[in-house]
mmCIF file of all heavy atoms in Angstrom:
data_model
loop_
_atom_site.group_PDB
_atom_site.id
_atom_site.type_symbol
_atom_site.label_atom_id
_atom_site.label_comp_id
_atom_site.label_asym_id
_atom_site.label_seq_id
_atom_site.Cartn_x
_atom_site.Cartn_y
_atom_site.Cartn_z
ATOM 1 N N HIS O 639 -28.185 -28.835 35.795
ATOM 2 C CA HIS O 639 -27.440 -27.604 35.250
ATOM 3 C C HIS O 639 -26.622 -26.990 36.478
ATOM 4 O O HIS O 639 -25.414 -26.846 36.282
ATOM 5 C CB HIS O 639 -28.451 -26.682 34.786
ATOM 6 C CG HIS O 639 -27.859 -25.633 33.817
ATOM 7 N ND1 HIS O 639 -28.619 -24.644 33.192
ATOM 8 C CD2 HIS O 639 -26.583 -25.458 33.367
ATOM 9 C CE1 HIS O 639 -27.834 -23.861 32.392
ATOM 10 N NE2 HIS O 639 -26.586 -24.425 32.428
ATOM 11 N N TYR O 640 -27.281 -26.899 37.530
ATOM 12 C CA TYR O 640 -26.667 -26.355 38.756
ATOM 13 C C TYR O 640 -25.765 -27.367 39.481
ATOM 14 O O TYR O 640 -24.620 -27.057 39.807
ATOM 15 C CB TYR O 640 -27.614 -25.667 39.650
ATOM 16 C CG TYR O 640 -26.988 -25.029 40.952
ATOM 17 C CD1 TYR O 640 -26.538 -23.670 40.946
ATOM 18 C CD2 TYR O 640 -26.883 -25.684 42.170
ATOM 19 C CE1 TYR O 640 -26.027 -23.147 41.944
ATOM 20 C CE2 TYR O 640 -26.408 -25.068 43.274
ATOM 21 C CZ TYR O 640 -25.947 -23.778 43.189
ATOM 22 O OH TYR O 640 -25.442 -23.185 44.398
ATOM 23 N N HIS O 643 -23.319 -29.585 35.999
ATOM 24 C CA HIS O 643 -22.610 -28.833 35.108
ATOM 25 C C HIS O 643 -21.808 -27.600 35.711
ATOM 26 O O HIS O 643 -20.546 -27.550 35.574
ATOM 27 C CB HIS O 643 -23.436 -28.236 33.883
ATOM 28 C CG HIS O 643 -24.075 -29.346 33.031
ATOM 29 N ND1 HIS O 643 -23.247 -29.852 31.953
ATOM 30 C CD2 HIS O 643 -25.194 -29.940 32.998
ATOM 31 C CE1 HIS O 643 -23.925 -30.825 31.357
ATOM 32 N NE2 HIS O 643 -25.245 -30.773 31.892
ATOM 33 N N HIS O 644 -22.538 -26.845 36.440
ATOM 34 C CA HIS O 644 -21.967 -25.685 37.093
ATOM 35 C C HIS O 644 -20.970 -26.175 38.260
ATOM 36 O O HIS O 644 -19.922 -25.604 38.371
ATOM 37 C CB HIS O 644 -23.104 -24.832 37.746
ATOM 38 C CG HIS O 644 -22.524 -23.442 38.176
ATOM 39 N ND1 HIS O 644 -23.269 -22.642 39.100
ATOM 40 C CD2 HIS O 644 -21.475 -22.715 37.913
ATOM 41 C CE1 HIS O 644 -22.638 -21.569 39.322
ATOM 42 N NE2 HIS O 644 -21.517 -21.456 38.689
ATOM 43 N N TYR O 647 -17.689 -27.106 36.508
ATOM 44 C CA TYR O 647 -16.900 -25.986 36.116
ATOM 45 C C TYR O 647 -16.155 -25.444 37.262
ATOM 46 O O TYR O 647 -14.941 -25.211 37.170
ATOM 47 C CB TYR O 647 -17.796 -24.981 35.382
ATOM 48 C CG TYR O 647 -18.459 -25.344 34.118
ATOM 49 C CD1 TYR O 647 -19.834 -25.215 34.014
ATOM 50 C CD2 TYR O 647 -17.812 -25.797 33.067
ATOM 51 C CE1 TYR O 647 -20.444 -25.402 32.800
ATOM 52 C CE2 TYR O 647 -18.454 -26.096 31.840
ATOM 53 C CZ TYR O 647 -19.739 -25.880 31.764
ATOM 54 O OH TYR O 647 -20.366 -26.201 30.520
ATOM 55 N N GLY O 691 -17.108 -21.007 32.500
ATOM 56 C CA GLY O 691 -18.324 -21.754 32.882
ATOM 57 C C GLY O 691 -18.730 -21.316 34.369
ATOM 58 O O GLY O 691 -20.021 -21.213 34.564
ATOM 59 N N ASN O 694 -20.064 -17.532 34.117
ATOM 60 C CA ASN O 694 -21.208 -17.287 33.344
ATOM 61 C C ASN O 694 -22.374 -17.904 34.153
ATOM 62 O O ASN O 694 -23.504 -17.352 34.091
ATOM 63 C CB ASN O 694 -21.115 -18.068 32.128
ATOM 64 C CG ASN O 694 -19.958 -17.426 31.166
ATOM 65 O OD1 ASN O 694 -19.490 -16.333 31.547
ATOM 66 N ND2 ASN O 694 -19.582 -18.115 30.096
ATOM 67 N N HIS O 695 -22.259 -19.037 34.821
ATOM 68 C CA HIS O 695 -23.381 -19.821 35.482
ATOM 69 C C HIS O 695 -23.687 -18.976 36.776
ATOM 70 O O HIS O 695 -24.958 -18.902 37.136
ATOM 71 C CB HIS O 695 -23.187 -21.162 35.609
ATOM 72 C CG HIS O 695 -23.251 -21.931 34.423
ATOM 73 N ND1 HIS O 695 -22.204 -22.094 33.504
ATOM 74 C CD2 HIS O 695 -24.258 -22.516 33.736
ATOM 75 C CE1 HIS O 695 -22.566 -22.744 32.370
ATOM 76 N NE2 HIS O 695 -23.878 -23.122 32.619
ATOM 77 N N PHE O 698 -25.837 -16.315 35.501
ATOM 78 C CA PHE O 698 -27.058 -16.778 34.956
ATOM 79 C C PHE O 698 -28.022 -17.159 36.070
ATOM 80 O O PHE O 698 -29.265 -16.634 36.112
ATOM 81 C CB PHE O 698 -26.868 -18.076 34.057
ATOM 82 C CG PHE O 698 -27.937 -18.768 33.422
ATOM 83 C CD1 PHE O 698 -28.635 -18.151 32.364
ATOM 84 C CD2 PHE O 698 -28.433 -19.869 33.930
ATOM 85 C CE1 PHE O 698 -29.729 -18.746 31.755
ATOM 86 C CE2 PHE O 698 -29.460 -20.539 33.345
ATOM 87 C CZ PHE O 698 -30.113 -20.084 32.220
ATOM 88 N N PHE O 699 -27.591 -17.967 37.026
ATOM 89 C CA PHE O 699 -28.481 -18.561 38.098
ATOM 90 C C PHE O 699 -28.832 -17.220 39.044
ATOM 91 O O PHE O 699 -29.977 -17.322 39.545
ATOM 92 C CB PHE O 699 -27.812 -19.553 38.881
ATOM 93 C CG PHE O 699 -27.838 -20.900 38.099
ATOM 94 C CD1 PHE O 699 -26.550 -21.554 37.864
ATOM 95 C CD2 PHE O 699 -28.847 -21.403 37.511
ATOM 96 C CE1 PHE O 699 -26.514 -22.734 37.196
ATOM 97 C CE2 PHE O 699 -28.810 -22.640 36.811
ATOM 98 C CZ PHE O 699 -27.567 -23.180 36.613
ATOM 99 N N GLY O 743 -23.012 -21.909 23.341
ATOM 100 C CA GLY O 743 -22.593 -20.553 23.674
ATOM 101 C C GLY O 743 -23.560 -19.812 24.469
ATOM 102 O O GLY O 743 -24.426 -20.289 25.132
ATOM 103 N N TRP O 744 -23.458 -18.449 24.435
ATOM 104 C CA TRP O 744 -24.215 -17.569 25.141
ATOM 105 C C TRP O 744 -24.533 -16.300 24.343
ATOM 106 O O TRP O 744 -23.646 -15.789 23.496
ATOM 107 C CB TRP O 744 -23.372 -17.096 26.373
ATOM 108 C CG TRP O 744 -23.178 -18.199 27.441
ATOM 109 C CD1 TRP O 744 -22.338 -19.157 27.334
ATOM 110 C CD2 TRP O 744 -23.839 -18.295 28.657
ATOM 111 N NE1 TRP O 744 -22.291 -19.972 28.478
ATOM 112 C CE2 TRP O 744 -23.234 -19.478 29.227
ATOM 113 C CE3 TRP O 744 -24.822 -17.502 29.328
ATOM 114 C CZ2 TRP O 744 -23.614 -19.855 30.588
ATOM 115 C CZ3 TRP O 744 -25.272 -18.012 30.601
ATOM 116 C CH2 TRP O 744 -24.613 -19.212 31.206
ATOM 117 N N GLN O 763 -17.800 -21.330 26.485
ATOM 118 C CA GLN O 763 -18.001 -20.598 27.850
ATOM 119 C C GLN O 763 -17.233 -19.316 27.870
ATOM 120 O O GLN O 763 -16.925 -18.667 28.958
ATOM 121 C CB GLN O 763 -17.573 -21.420 29.058
ATOM 122 C CG GLN O 763 -18.490 -22.715 29.298
ATOM 123 C CD GLN O 763 -19.918 -22.442 29.606
ATOM 124 O OE1 GLN O 763 -20.290 -21.327 29.787
ATOM 125 N NE2 GLN O 763 -20.593 -23.441 29.726
ATOM 126 N N ASP O 781 -27.900 -18.753 28.344
ATOM 127 C CA ASP O 781 -27.156 -20.014 28.173
ATOM 128 C C ASP O 781 -27.833 -20.832 27.106
ATOM 129 O O ASP O 781 -29.130 -21.071 27.217
ATOM 130 C CB ASP O 781 -27.114 -20.827 29.432
ATOM 131 C CG ASP O 781 -26.213 -21.989 29.363
ATOM 132 O OD1 ASP O 781 -25.890 -22.364 28.318
ATOM 133 O OD2 ASP O 781 -25.931 -22.518 30.340
ATOM 134 N N VAL O 782 -27.227 -20.917 25.867
ATOM 135 C CA VAL O 782 -27.891 -21.741 24.857
ATOM 136 C C VAL O 782 -27.154 -22.997 24.604
ATOM 137 O O VAL O 782 -27.298 -23.641 23.549
ATOM 138 C CB VAL O 782 -28.151 -21.007 23.653
ATOM 139 C CG1 VAL O 782 -29.073 -19.808 23.790
ATOM 140 C CG2 VAL O 782 -26.718 -20.419 23.025
ATOM 141 N N TRP O 783 -26.329 -23.477 25.613
ATOM 142 C CA TRP O 783 -25.904 -24.842 25.420
ATOM 143 C C TRP O 783 -27.095 -25.644 25.613
ATOM 144 O O TRP O 783 -28.022 -25.439 26.383
ATOM 145 C CB TRP O 783 -24.917 -25.190 26.755
ATOM 146 C CG TRP O 783 -23.531 -24.588 26.559
ATOM 147 C CD1 TRP O 783 -23.198 -23.311 26.444
ATOM 148 C CD2 TRP O 783 -22.356 -25.375 26.643
ATOM 149 N NE1 TRP O 783 -21.871 -23.274 26.399
ATOM 150 C CE2 TRP O 783 -21.263 -24.469 26.507
ATOM 151 C CE3 TRP O 783 -22.073 -26.738 26.756
ATOM 152 C CZ2 TRP O 783 -19.971 -24.806 26.569
ATOM 153 C CZ3 TRP O 783 -20.703 -27.118 26.927
ATOM 154 C CH2 TRP O 783 -19.708 -26.155 26.723
ATOM 155 N N GLU O 784 -27.062 -26.880 24.966
ATOM 156 C CA GLU O 784 -28.286 -27.856 24.839
ATOM 157 C C GLU O 784 -28.564 -28.288 26.436
ATOM 158 O O GLU O 784 -29.697 -28.529 26.703
ATOM 159 C CB GLU O 784 -27.939 -29.022 24.117
ATOM 160 C CG GLU O 784 -28.191 -28.640 22.555
ATOM 161 C CD GLU O 784 -28.110 -29.827 21.595
ATOM 162 O OE1 GLU O 784 -27.602 -30.932 22.020
ATOM 163 O OE2 GLU O 784 -28.462 -29.753 20.492
ATOM 164 N N HIS O 785 -27.550 -28.361 27.242
ATOM 165 C CA HIS O 785 -27.907 -28.768 28.695
ATOM 166 C C HIS O 785 -28.793 -27.848 29.277
ATOM 167 O O HIS O 785 -29.389 -28.150 30.411
ATOM 168 C CB HIS O 785 -26.613 -29.054 29.396
ATOM 169 C CG HIS O 785 -25.729 -27.858 29.759
ATOM 170 N ND1 HIS O 785 -24.429 -27.765 29.520
ATOM 171 C CD2 HIS O 785 -26.110 -26.546 30.231
ATOM 172 C CE1 HIS O 785 -23.910 -26.586 29.982
ATOM 173 N NE2 HIS O 785 -24.914 -25.844 30.429
ATOM 174 N N ALA O 786 -28.987 -26.595 28.765
ATOM 175 C CA ALA O 786 -29.799 -25.481 29.471
ATOM 176 C C ALA O 786 -31.284 -25.757 29.109
ATOM 177 O O ALA O 786 -32.090 -25.186 29.922
ATOM 178 C CB ALA O 786 -29.337 -24.190 29.128
ATOM 179 N N TYR O 787 -31.420 -26.489 28.044
ATOM 180 C CA TYR O 787 -32.953 -26.659 27.637
ATOM 181 C C TYR O 787 -33.405 -27.913 27.139
ATOM 182 O O TYR O 787 -34.587 -28.195 26.895
ATOM 183 C CB TYR O 787 -33.239 -25.515 26.624
ATOM 184 C CG TYR O 787 -32.506 -25.598 25.301
ATOM 185 C CD1 TYR O 787 -32.956 -26.314 24.312
ATOM 186 C CD2 TYR O 787 -31.253 -24.938 25.241
ATOM 187 C CE1 TYR O 787 -32.186 -26.384 23.118
ATOM 188 C CE2 TYR O 787 -30.525 -24.947 24.148
ATOM 189 C CZ TYR O 787 -31.064 -25.712 22.989
ATOM 190 O OH TYR O 787 -30.203 -25.710 21.828
ATOM 191 N N TYR O 798 -37.347 -22.231 24.334
ATOM 192 C CA TYR O 798 -36.627 -22.031 25.612
ATOM 193 C C TYR O 798 -36.302 -20.526 25.811
ATOM 194 O O TYR O 798 -36.489 -20.025 26.935
ATOM 195 C CB TYR O 798 -35.337 -22.891 25.590
ATOM 196 C CG TYR O 798 -34.299 -22.366 26.414
ATOM 197 C CD1 TYR O 798 -34.310 -22.484 27.827
ATOM 198 C CD2 TYR O 798 -33.169 -21.875 25.875
ATOM 199 C CE1 TYR O 798 -33.279 -21.978 28.638
ATOM 200 C CE2 TYR O 798 -32.105 -21.370 26.555
ATOM 201 C CZ TYR O 798 -32.174 -21.515 27.958
ATOM 202 O OH TYR O 798 -31.087 -20.945 28.729
HETATM 203 MN MN1 MN3 R 619 -24.972 -24.052 31.090
#
Side-chain angles (χ1 to χ4, degrees):
H639 202 179
Y640 181 85
H643 293 278
H644 191 197
Y647 295 127
N694 296 348
H695 289 86
F698 182 71
F699 290 123
W744 292 74
Q763 294 296 355
D781 185 348
V782 294
W783 283 58
E784 284 184 344
H785 67 225
Y787 62 88
Y798 152 72

